[in-house]
Amino acid sequence: MGDHVQFHLGRLIDHVHLRVSDLEASKRFYRAVLESLDLSAALVEGADYFYADELFVDKASEAVSQVHLAFQAPDRATVHKFHAAALAAGGRDNMAAHRSLNSAAWPAPFSVVR
């Protein structure tokens, strides 16, 4: 490994790379949801990409990514703040598709960025 790479024991995934059709819409969405989690400072934006922590996003030249991501939140109030921010930033409510999962183990509303 190079000098700039850190190995994090206990993590299965090093990073997730998403390819999106509308980079500006994705930037708006992730700015909003990261702010709802008090993680705005983690967002780094370039002209044709952005990243935050282990999430890297750029514009797809062909097929877009089809990935389910679940963000951690410290409490239910933050979950609802995240969901509201996601919807306000152009995401759509995906809770109906996951209603059976909304239990103590799955306390979060679901939202989807387009």
Side-chain angles (χ1 to χ4, degrees):
M1 288 198 238
D3 292 336
H4 66 285
V5 176
Q6 291 182 335
F7 181 76
H8 298 282
L9 188 61
R11 288 189 184 169
L12 177 63
I13 305 297
D14 180 72
H15 69 278
V16 174
H17 182 170
L18 300 180
R19 318 250 25 220
V20 299
S21 60
D22 187 338
L23 186 63
E24 291 307 313
S26 293
K27 283 181 178 182
R28 283 191 303 276
F29 179 86
Y30 283 102
R31 274 187 216 118
V33 297
L34 290 170
E35 182 179 332
S36 77
L37 297 170
D38 293 326
L39 293 173
S40 295
L43 184 64
V44 176
E45 296 186 45
D48 58 352
Y49 69 91
F50 66 92
Y51 65 88
D53 198 37
E54 287 85 14
L55 175 64
F56 182 88
V57 182
D58 65 1
K59 182 161 177 51
S61 57
E62 295 179 18
V64 298
S65 301
Q66 300 289 322
V67 177
H68 174 103
L69 293 178
F71 290 84
Q72 294 184 55
D75 52 45
R76 186 176 278 282
T78 305
V79 168
H80 289 285
K81 182 178 172 186
F82 176 100
H83 190 210
L87 296 180
R92 64 179 165 81
D93 192 343
N94 201 32
M95 193 59 229
H98 299 285
R99 185 101 29 226
S100 65
L101 298 176
N102 195 20
S103 66
W106 292 87
F110 289 83
S111 52
V112 177
V113 65
R114 299 173 204 205

